[in-house]
Amino acid sequence: MDAKALQTINFSGFTRPEKFVGRTGLSLTRTGKPEMVRMRRRKIACSYNNIPASILESGGHKYPLEEELILKNKSQQIQPYLNGRCIYVVGMMGSGKTTVGKIMSQALSYSFCDCDTLIEEEVEGNSVADIFKLYGESFFRDRETEALRKMSLMHKFVISTGGGAVLRPINWKYMHKGVSVWLDVPVDALAKRIAAVGTNSRPLLHDEAGDAYTAALMRLSSLFEERGEFYANANARVSLENIAAKLGRRDASDLSPRAIAIEALEQVGNFLKAEDGGYAR
Ligand SMILES: Nc1ncnc2c1ncn2[C@@H]1O[C@H](COP(=O)(O)OP(=O)(O)O)[C@@H](O)[C@H]1O
Ligand SMILES: O=C(O)C1=C[C@@H](OP(=O)(O)O)[C@@H](O)[C@H](O)C1
Ligand SMILES: [Mg+2]
């Protein structure tokens, strides 16, 4: 996002914007105007996307225009019923929460926050894997709950959670202040994706022996056994198998992140419709 785009950001919808801007490479000058500051870390936890569509459109399209139009159309349909509530993307590690969450935030002109990256920011920039190593999983889970508590105070964010965020009831208390959507991806597709990028960034997969795919498949299968019922607490569910069937595709793992984002907006819309007793006013 270039500095010019930043100047147009309207922070009016944020509570305590300074809390999130200074630490993520954006800073409010004395006049309250946002300006880029030198990033202290390699990743931005939260990016602010509510720049006018005109600037986005001038950026040109590098994706099929039809998908772009459907994304925009679906987000315009659900915006009024979201009422600025945050969207929490939940699912197993590797399910595409960070990737799809960003696409959803752009379509909705929402800001985006990755919970894991926010936690890394809070723990002196240590990676999730290092946090697990240095302080243990329970410390990480406490930081995860704190990050979700902070995000529950915000508006107009898509928040990509970590795969284990569903484990604690208190986390659901925070996530239920917004709308949650579960990316339900077949375990073998998860294993393929994680094997492709390596398990370094996912400490819960570190101790498995064997080749990357098999090790990931074994561990992910047992993790899903333990957690499946928790993901089902989400308000909406995106089944890649259902999308593949709708699109007449044989392999769910071939679906693009944008096709999944379209379905996620569709399912969030269905939830809002049911919640609102038919939102087509
Ligand atoms: N629809 C998809 N098809 C293929 N690969 C994907 C898809 N969505 C995400 N990925 C890849 O899978 C890996 C995990 O994606 P990520 O968004 O980090 O998932 P999560 O945040 O749920 O762990 C990344 O390498 C990403 O590029
Ligand atoms: O499933 C889990 O318990 C975890 C998933 C990771 O996030 P992603 O789902 O983004 O990989 C990260 O929060 C941590 O390694 C724990
Ligand atoms: Mg992620």
Side-chain angles (χ1 to χ4, degrees), residues 91-101 114 116 160-163 183 190 193-194 196-197 202 240 252-258 260:
M92 286 284 287
M93 60 180 94
S95 55
K97 301 182 292 295
T98 302
T99 307
V100 173
D114 185 88
D116 280 350
S160 292
T161 65
L183 302 186
L190 297 176
R193 291 179 185 178
I194 290 182
V197 293
R202 290 169 168 104
L240 267 64
S253 53
D254 283 348
L255 294 167
S256 74
R258 304 180 89 67
I260 295 164

Side-chain angles (χ1 to χ4, degrees), residues 143-163:
R143 299 282 75 71
E144 188 169 54
T145 297
E146 178 55 14
L148 289 169
R149 185 194 67 77
K150 283 181 186 169
M151 292 314 295
S152 72
L153 305 174
M154 303 301 278
H155 299 282
K156 294 193 173 184
F157 269 86
V158 172
I159 298 129
S160 292
T161 65

Side-chain angles (χ1 to χ4, degrees), residues 91-135:
M92 286 284 287
M93 60 180 94
S95 55
K97 301 182 292 295
T98 302
T99 307
V100 173
K102 280 182 191 152
I103 297 168
M104 293 174 72
S105 68
Q106 281 151 9
L108 289 164
S109 297
Y110 264 32
S111 297
F112 173 75
C113 206
D114 185 88
C115 210
D116 280 350
T117 310
L118 198 56
I119 295 164
E120 290 173 337
E121 286 261 328
E122 298 288 339
V123 189
E124 287 84 46
N126 285 301
S127 68
V128 167
D130 288 344
I131 295 171
F132 268 68
K133 212 183 298 169
L134 294 167
Y135 305 109

Side-chain angles (χ1 to χ4, degrees), residues 247-274:
L247 299 177
R249 310 274 278 279
R250 265 174 357 96
D251 186 357
S253 53
D254 283 348
L255 294 167
S256 74
R258 304 180 89 67
I260 295 164
I262 288 170
E263 179 70 7
L265 291 173
E266 170 83 15
Q267 293 307 328
V268 166
N270 291 342
F271 164 74
L272 293 169
K273 190 175 177 178

Side-chain angles (χ1 to χ4, degrees), residues 17-264:
E18 73 289 349
K19 185 76 195 117
F20 283 87
V21 293
R23 307 176 63 80
T24 59
L26 294 178
S27 139
L28 288 175
T29 58
R30 274 189 318 288
T31 58
K33 274 253 177 264
E35 67 173 7
M36 283 304 275
V37 291
R38 183 170 298 288
M39 276 303 294
R40 281 184 298 122
R41 292 200 180 42
R42 64 197 183 293
K43 287 188 276 184
I44 292 184
C46 305
S47 56
Y48 298 88
N49 275 313
N50 57 347
I51 52 180
S54 52
I55 288 190
L56 282 180
E57 268 135 32
S58 65
H61 292 283
K62 58 182 168 117
Y63 298 101
L65 201 49
E66 199 215 347
E67 273 185 349
E68 294 295 286
L69 294 175
I70 297 173
L71 276 167
K72 216 63 198 140
N73 179 266
K74 292 222 177 285
S75 49
Q76 277 156 2
Q77 277 178 14
I78 70 175
Q79 279 282 19
Y81 303 90
L82 262 180
N83 249 332
R85 280 179 286 178
C86 291
I87 293 183
Y88 293 87
V89 189
V90 303
M92 286 284 287
M93 60 180 94
S95 55
K97 301 182 292 295
T98 302
T99 307
V100 173
K102 280 182 191 152
I103 297 168
M104 293 174 72
S105 68
Q106 281 151 9
L108 289 164
S109 297
Y110 264 32
S111 297
F112 173 75
C113 206
D114 185 88
C115 210
D116 280 350
T117 310
L118 198 56
I119 295 164
E120 290 173 337
E121 286 261 328
E122 298 288 339
V123 189
E124 287 84 46
N126 285 301
S127 68
V128 167
D130 288 344
I131 295 171
F132 268 68
K133 212 183 298 169
L134 294 167
Y135 305 109
E137 179 170 357
S138 146
F139 174 88
F140 172 83
R141 297 298 174 201
D142 292 343
R143 299 282 75 71
E144 188 169 54
T145 297
E146 178 55 14
L148 289 169
R149 185 194 67 77
K150 283 181 186 169
M151 292 314 295
S152 72
L153 305 174
M154 303 301 278
H155 299 282
K156 294 193 173 184
F157 269 86
V158 172
I159 298 129
S160 292
T161 65
V166 299
L167 297 171
R168 285 187 174 184
I170 181 74
N171 294 348
W172 280 110
K173 182 180 150 232
Y174 297 133
M175 293 193 285
H176 280 324
K177 292 195 176 169
V179 182
S180 49
V181 56
W182 167 27
L183 302 186
D184 185 2
V185 181
V187 173
D188 73 307
L190 297 176
K192 266 188 229 159
R193 291 179 185 178
I194 290 182
V197 293
T199 57
N200 292 346
S201 64
R202 290 169 168 104
L204 291 178
L205 302 184
H206 283 179
D207 304 334
E208 296 295 321
D211 69 281
Y213 170 77
T214 311
L217 186 66
M218 303 298 285
R219 185 74 178 110
L220 290 167
S221 303
S222 69
L223 275 175
F224 187 66
E225 274 293 303
E226 295 160 28
R227 296 176 172 185
E229 60 179 298
F230 298 114
Y231 292 119
N233 288 329
N235 299 124
R237 170 176 173 259
V238 173
S239 156
L240 267 64
E241 280 158 343
N242 290 352
I243 306 173
K246 261 191 209 176
L247 299 177
R249 310 274 278 279
R250 265 174 357 96
D251 186 357
S253 53
D254 283 348
L255 294 167
S256 74
R258 304 180 89 67
I260 295 164
I262 288 170
E263 179 70 7

